[in-house]
PDB file of all heavy atoms in Angstrom:
ATOM      1  N   GLY A 180      29.858 -17.981   5.720  1.00 42.00           N
ATOM      2  CA  GLY A 180      30.356 -19.129   6.477  1.00 42.00           C
ATOM      3  C   GLY A 180      29.455 -20.337   6.373  1.00 42.00           C
ATOM      4  O   GLY A 180      29.894 -21.468   6.465  1.00 42.00           O
ATOM      5  N   GLY A 181      28.161 -20.092   6.195  1.00 43.00           N
ATOM      6  CA  GLY A 181      27.225 -21.202   6.127  1.00 43.00           C
ATOM      7  C   GLY A 181      27.097 -21.832   4.762  1.00 43.00           C
ATOM      8  O   GLY A 181      26.352 -22.775   4.592  1.00 43.00           O
ATOM      9  N   GLY A 182      27.813 -21.300   3.784  1.00 46.00           N
ATOM     10  CA  GLY A 182      27.684 -21.893   2.470  1.00 46.00           C
ATOM     11  C   GLY A 182      26.475 -21.359   1.719  1.00 46.00           C
ATOM     12  O   GLY A 182      25.756 -20.494   2.195  1.00 46.00           O
ATOM     13  N   ASP A 184      23.348 -21.755   1.141  1.00 69.00           N
ATOM     14  CA  ASP A 184      22.051 -22.331   1.430  1.00 69.00           C
ATOM     15  C   ASP A 184      21.059 -21.348   2.034  1.00 69.00           C
ATOM     16  O   ASP A 184      19.871 -21.440   1.785  1.00 69.00           O
ATOM     17  CB  ASP A 184      22.205 -23.498   2.408  1.00 69.00           C
ATOM     18  CG  ASP A 184      22.803 -24.710   1.717  1.00 69.00           C
ATOM     19  OD1 ASP A 184      22.544 -24.887   0.523  1.00 69.00           O
ATOM     20  OD2 ASP A 184      23.531 -25.467   2.368  1.00 69.00           O
TER      21      ASP A 184
ATOM     22  N   LEU B 275      21.214 -17.460  11.085  1.00 95.00           N
ATOM     23  CA  LEU B 275      22.199 -17.770  12.127  1.00 95.00           C
ATOM     24  C   LEU B 275      23.034 -18.996  11.735  1.00 95.00           C
ATOM     25  O   LEU B 275      24.261 -18.975  11.789  1.00 95.00           O
ATOM     26  CB  LEU B 275      21.485 -18.060  13.451  1.00 95.00           C
ATOM     27  CG  LEU B 275      20.758 -16.892  14.105  1.00 95.00           C
ATOM     28  CD1 LEU B 275      19.963 -17.381  15.310  1.00 95.00           C
ATOM     29  CD2 LEU B 275      21.745 -15.804  14.518  1.00 95.00           C
ATOM     30  N   PHE B 276      22.338 -20.069  11.387  1.00 92.00           N
ATOM     31  CA  PHE B 276      23.000 -21.314  10.977  1.00 92.00           C
ATOM     32  C   PHE B 276      21.968 -22.242  10.371  1.00 92.00           C
ATOM     33  O   PHE B 276      20.762 -21.963  10.398  1.00 92.00           O
ATOM     34  CB  PHE B 276      23.721 -22.027  12.132  1.00 92.00           C
ATOM     35  CG  PHE B 276      23.168 -21.804  13.502  1.00 92.00           C
ATOM     36  CD1 PHE B 276      21.845 -22.092  13.817  1.00 92.00           C
ATOM     37  CD2 PHE B 276      23.982 -21.292  14.509  1.00 92.00           C
ATOM     38  CE1 PHE B 276      21.352 -21.893  15.086  1.00 92.00           C
ATOM     39  CE2 PHE B 276      23.491 -21.091  15.794  1.00 92.00           C
ATOM     40  CZ  PHE B 276      22.181 -21.382  16.083  1.00 92.00           C
ATOM     41  N   HIS B 277      22.467 -23.339   9.805  1.00 94.00           N
ATOM     42  CA  HIS B 277      21.547 -24.335   9.274  1.00 94.00           C
ATOM     43  C   HIS B 277      22.189 -25.713   9.309  1.00 94.00           C
ATOM     44  O   HIS B 277      23.415 -25.843   9.435  1.00 94.00           O
ATOM     45  CB  HIS B 277      21.103 -23.984   7.851  1.00 94.00           C
ATOM     46  CG  HIS B 277      22.163 -24.185   6.811  1.00 94.00           C
ATOM     47  ND1 HIS B 277      23.151 -23.268   6.539  1.00 94.00           N
ATOM     48  CD2 HIS B 277      22.371 -25.213   5.951  1.00 94.00           C
ATOM     49  CE1 HIS B 277      23.918 -23.716   5.567  1.00 94.00           C
ATOM     50  NE2 HIS B 277      23.481 -24.889   5.198  1.00 94.00           N
ATOM     51  N   TYR B 278      21.332 -26.714   9.246  1.00 94.00           N
ATOM     52  CA  TYR B 278      21.752 -28.103   9.150  1.00 94.00           C
ATOM     53  C   TYR B 278      21.334 -28.659   7.798  1.00 94.00           C
ATOM     54  O   TYR B 278      20.177 -28.531   7.414  1.00 94.00           O
ATOM     55  CB  TYR B 278      21.073 -28.961  10.222  1.00 94.00           C
ATOM     56  CG  TYR B 278      21.749 -28.984  11.555  1.00 94.00           C
ATOM     57  CD1 TYR B 278      21.378 -28.102  12.566  1.00 94.00           C
ATOM     58  CD2 TYR B 278      22.760 -29.900  11.833  1.00 94.00           C
ATOM     59  CE1 TYR B 278      21.990 -28.138  13.804  1.00 94.00           C
ATOM     60  CE2 TYR B 278      23.374 -29.949  13.072  1.00 94.00           C
ATOM     61  CZ  TYR B 278      22.982 -29.053  14.060  1.00 94.00           C
ATOM     62  OH  TYR B 278      23.592 -29.085  15.276  1.00 94.00           O
ATOM     63  N   TYR B 279      22.294 -29.240   7.099  1.00 93.00           N
ATOM     64  CA  TYR B 279      21.950 -30.073   5.957  1.00 93.00           C
ATOM     65  C   TYR B 279      22.102 -31.507   6.430  1.00 93.00           C
ATOM     66  O   TYR B 279      23.220 -31.989   6.610  1.00 93.00           O
ATOM     67  CB  TYR B 279      22.850 -29.786   4.759  1.00 93.00           C
ATOM     68  CG  TYR B 279      22.540 -30.666   3.578  1.00 93.00           C
ATOM     69  CD1 TYR B 279      21.392 -30.446   2.828  1.00 93.00           C
ATOM     70  CD2 TYR B 279      23.366 -31.739   3.233  1.00 93.00           C
ATOM     71  CE1 TYR B 279      21.089 -31.253   1.758  1.00 93.00           C
ATOM     72  CE2 TYR B 279      23.063 -32.546   2.160  1.00 93.00           C
ATOM     73  CZ  TYR B 279      21.931 -32.302   1.426  1.00 93.00           C
ATOM     74  OH  TYR B 279      21.616 -33.111   0.364  1.00 93.00           O
ATOM     75  N   ASP B 282      24.864 -32.275   8.980  1.00 92.00           N
ATOM     76  CA  ASP B 282      25.999 -31.393   8.739  1.00 92.00           C
ATOM     77  C   ASP B 282      25.645 -29.964   9.158  1.00 92.00           C
ATOM     78  O   ASP B 282      24.778 -29.325   8.553  1.00 92.00           O
ATOM     79  CB  ASP B 282      26.361 -31.441   7.248  1.00 92.00           C
ATOM     80  CG  ASP B 282      27.566 -30.602   6.923  1.00 92.00           C
ATOM     81  OD1 ASP B 282      28.393 -30.378   7.831  1.00 92.00           O
ATOM     82  OD2 ASP B 282      27.688 -30.167   5.759  1.00 92.00           O
ATOM     83  N   PHE B 283      26.334 -29.468  10.180  1.00 93.00           N
ATOM     84  CA  PHE B 283      26.052 -28.145  10.742  1.00 93.00           C
ATOM     85  C   PHE B 283      26.850 -27.081  10.002  1.00 93.00           C
ATOM     86  O   PHE B 283      28.045 -27.245   9.752  1.00 93.00           O
ATOM     87  CB  PHE B 283      26.415 -28.131  12.224  1.00 93.00           C
ATOM     88  CG  PHE B 283      26.220 -26.797  12.888  1.00 93.00           C
ATOM     89  CD1 PHE B 283      24.949 -26.303  13.114  1.00 93.00           C
ATOM     90  CD2 PHE B 283      27.307 -26.038  13.288  1.00 93.00           C
ATOM     91  CE1 PHE B 283      24.760 -25.076  13.732  1.00 93.00           C
ATOM     92  CE2 PHE B 283      27.135 -24.813  13.911  1.00 93.00           C
ATOM     93  CZ  PHE B 283      25.859 -24.330  14.129  1.00 93.00           C
ATOM     94  N   ASN B 284      26.176 -25.972   9.660  1.00 91.00           N
ATOM     95  CA  ASN B 284      26.815 -24.862   8.959  1.00 91.00           C
ATOM     96  C   ASN B 284      26.506 -23.561   9.686  1.00 91.00           C
ATOM     97  O   ASN B 284      25.352 -23.137   9.759  1.00 91.00           O
ATOM     98  CB  ASN B 284      26.291 -24.780   7.519  1.00 91.00           C
ATOM     99  CG  ASN B 284      26.648 -26.008   6.713  1.00 91.00           C
ATOM    100  OD1 ASN B 284      27.718 -26.085   6.122  1.00 91.00           O
ATOM    101  ND2 ASN B 284      25.760 -26.992   6.708  1.00 91.00           N
ATOM    102  N   ASN B 285      27.565 -22.948  10.205  1.00 91.00           N
ATOM    103  CA  ASN B 285      27.402 -21.735  10.988  1.00 91.00           C
ATOM    104  C   ASN B 285      27.683 -20.514  10.114  1.00 91.00           C
ATOM    105  O   ASN B 285      28.638 -20.527   9.318  1.00 91.00           O
ATOM    106  CB  ASN B 285      28.388 -21.786  12.157  1.00 91.00           C
ATOM    107  CG  ASN B 285      28.023 -20.855  13.268  1.00 91.00           C
ATOM    108  OD1 ASN B 285      26.862 -20.572  13.488  1.00 91.00           O
ATOM    109  ND2 ASN B 285      29.019 -20.354  13.961  1.00 91.00           N
ATOM    110  N   GLU B 286      26.889 -19.452  10.244  1.00 89.00           N
ATOM    111  CA  GLU B 286      27.208 -18.218   9.563  1.00 89.00           C
ATOM    112  C   GLU B 286      28.418 -17.573  10.244  1.00 89.00           C
ATOM    113  O   GLU B 286      28.615 -17.689  11.454  1.00 89.00           O
ATOM    114  CB  GLU B 286      26.025 -17.252   9.599  1.00 89.00           C
ATOM    115  CG  GLU B 286      24.883 -17.658   8.681  1.00 89.00           C
ATOM    116  CD  GLU B 286      25.308 -17.714   7.230  1.00 89.00           C
ATOM    117  OE1 GLU B 286      25.597 -16.673   6.632  1.00 89.00           O
ATOM    118  OE2 GLU B 286      25.332 -18.838   6.687  1.00 89.00           O
ATOM    119  N   ARG B 326      19.146 -28.315  -0.689  1.00 81.00           N
ATOM    120  CA  ARG B 326      19.889 -27.054  -0.741  1.00 81.00           C
ATOM    121  C   ARG B 326      19.324 -26.177  -1.842  1.00 81.00           C
ATOM    122  O   ARG B 326      19.050 -26.635  -2.939  1.00 81.00           O
ATOM    123  CB  ARG B 326      21.352 -27.335  -1.013  1.00 81.00           C
ATOM    124  CG  ARG B 326      22.071 -27.985   0.129  1.00 81.00           C
ATOM    125  CD  ARG B 326      23.560 -28.017  -0.144  1.00 81.00           C
ATOM    126  NE  ARG B 326      24.280 -27.717   1.072  1.00 81.00           N
ATOM    127  CZ  ARG B 326      25.184 -28.526   1.607  1.00 81.00           C
ATOM    128  NH1 ARG B 326      25.481 -29.660   1.019  1.00 81.00           N
ATOM    129  NH2 ARG B 326      25.799 -28.197   2.706  1.00 81.00           N
TER     130      ARG B 326
END
Side-chain angles (χ1 to χ4, degrees):
Chain A
D184 286 328
Chain B
L275 293 173
F276 28 57
H277 73 278
Y278 275 94
Y279 178 73
D282 183 25
F283 177 70
N284 296 273
N285 199 30
E286 287 299 292
R326 290 189 140 123

